[in-house]
Amino acid sequence: MDTPLPAAGADLAPDYYLSNFNLLVRHVVDRCRHLLSADELAWLIRFNALGPAPQRLLVRLLSRKGPLFRLDKLRYDEIPDLHHCAKALVDARLARWHPAPGWQELASLCTKRELLALVPEADARLSKTELLASLAPLPLPEHRLSVLALEQRAILDTLRLLYFGNLHQDLAQFVVSDLGIQRFESYPLTADGLEIDSRETLEAWLSQEVLSRECQRCLEQRDGDALLQLAPGLPGPLPWPELERKRQKTALLVAREWERREAFDQALVLYRQSTLPPSRERQARIALKRQRSLRAVTLVTRMLVSPLDEQEATVAARLGKQLARQGHWHWSPLTTHAPKQERLVLANSGERVELQVAAHYAAAGWRVFYCENALLNGLLGLVIWPSMFAPVAGAFVNPYQQGPRDLYRPEFVPRRQASLRAELANWTPERLLERYRLKQGIANPLVQWDRFPADLAEQALHSLPRALLSACFERLLFDLRGNRSGHPDLFLVQGRQARWLEVKGPGDRLQDNQSRWLNFLEGQGARVSVCQVSFE
C-alpha cells in the first residue's frame, strides 16, 4: 500500500486500523473464501492466533512501503514492546529477521550519516549515491540493526482487490470515511460485481494490476527503456471484458513507446490488439509515415464512419485533410467555425490568468464563476443522480465508491436507458436545487462540490434555457469520458444574461475538446467567446 495510515485522532480508537483490517478480512472470507489459496488461508489462521499487539504491528507494517523495516525507526504509542511483537511475528512465520546482506539494502535502511558512522574512512563530501558506489567493492561492515521483512506481503493486494474491486483504494479509505472527510451515497452491493469467479481470474487480475502500476511508474519517471522491458510480460487477449480493457490500455502505452522509437512493426503488433482509442489513429499515422496511403485511407474512413469517440472523429478529419493534400483521397472538408474572439490587455498581477480575467469582468458588473468543467458536469450529476446509484449488476462492489464502476464505459447509458430518459425529460430547476441541498457533500464523480457552489447552480439554472442545458446533458452522455472536460473556464451572469469565456493567456491555444465545446455551445444559441489575454 502506498497511502500511509494517519495517526489516531480524537475520533479514532488507537488501533482503528486493526479494526478496519479485520472488517476487510471478514468480508473477503465470507464472500470469497473459495478464491483464497491454501497459503493465504493459513496466513489468516496464523494472524488470528496472534495477540492484539503483534496484530497491530503487522497491520501497521503492511500499510507501509517496506519491504524492510528497522525496528529502531518504528514508533507506535499503542504498541509499547516492539521487539516482543516482532518476535511474535517471526515465531508465527508472518515475518523474518533480515540480515541486510548487501550495500544496496543497507543504504535503503540508513541515512548517509549512519553509513559514514559504519565506515568512518569513507569520503563525507560525496552524495549518498556516490558514497554507495565507492563502498560497493568493500566488505559489508558489522551492524546491529534489527531488520524485519514480512512474509507473504502480497496477501494484502489479494484482500484489497477482493474487497474494493481495485488496488487504488486501501485501508486509509476506511479512515477518511470514518472521519467524515469523504461521504458516500448509500447503495446495495452486488455479489457479481467483479469478473473474478476463479483463482485463475484472480491471479490474472493481480498480475495485470501490478503491470499497470509498473507502466504508470515508468510514465511518471519518463523511463521509456523500463517501459519497454515490461513488454514481454504483457499477456495475450483475455476472456474477461473488464480485465481485457485494462490489458489493452497497457498495451497502448507500450506500443506508443515503440512508435516513438520508430519500431513500427513492434508498435503495430500491440496496436492491432486493441479496439480502444487511439489505436486506429496511431495505426493510421504509422501508415502515413511509411507512405502506405491505401492502409491510411482505410483506417481514416473507418474512423469517420464509426468514430469511437468525438476525439477520434476530430483526428480522422485532420488526417483526411492530410491525405487529400497528398493526392491520395478526394476530401470534402467539414465546415468549421472559429469561435468568437475578444482581446483583453491587463496589467499582470501574477495571479492565474483566469482569475485576472474574472476580476476584470466582475469590476464591470458581472457575477463571475471560475468553474471550468464543474458547472455542466455538476448539473448533469444532479439530474442523473438516481440512475448513477441505481442497483445495476456489477456497479457497486464496495461501500466506498464515488460512482458506479461502469460510469465511463460505453455500457453505462444502455444499461440505464429507461431511467436516464425519464430523468433527462423531467428535471426542473426546483428539483435539482432541492437535490443539491439533500446531497451536498456526498461523493459523486461528476460533482465537484468545492467548485460547484449552490449559488452557481442557481444562477445557471435560472439564466440558461432548458433546451440548451438538455442538449449539453445529451452531449455529455454521448461520450462522458471525453466530453466531461474542455468546458469554458468562466461562467458569467448579469441579470438574466449568461455567457461563457474560454481564457487563453500569451502563447496558449485551444485544445480539440475546447473547440468542440465552444462550437457546440454556440450552435445551441449560447453566448460564448475566447478571451485572448496579453499583458501590459
Side-chain angles (χ1 to χ4, degrees), residues 375-428:
L375 173 55
L376 292 175
N377 288 343
L379 290 174
L380 176 65
L382 294 176
V383 170
I384 68 170
W385 194 293
S387 286
M388 286 183 67
F389 295 98
V392 173
F396 296 98
V397 298
N398 79 69
Y400 305 103
Q401 291 179 217
Q402 294 191 35
R405 298 174 72 245
D406 62 346
L407 180 62
Y408 299 117
R409 298 180 197 159
E411 60 266 30
F412 173 76
V413 171
R415 297 179 75 190
R416 300 160 178 84
Q417 191 75 56
S419 62
L420 286 171
R421 189 181 299 116
E423 288 158 4
L424 291 171
N426 298 322
W427 69 268
T428 66

Side-chain angles (χ1 to χ4, degrees), residues 107-148:
S108 71
L109 295 164
C110 297
T111 64
K112 176 185 171 181
R113 177 175 293 184
E114 288 171 330
L115 288 175
L116 289 170
L118 290 171
V119 191
E121 66 272 19
D123 188 349
R125 296 169 299 179
L126 300 175
S127 68
K128 187 176 180 181
T129 302
E130 294 168 336
L131 177 62
L132 185 58
S134 71
L135 296 177
L138 302 180
L140 200 70
E142 183 180 350
H143 63 81
R144 297 183 179 180
L145 301 178
S146 295
V147 180
L148 204 63

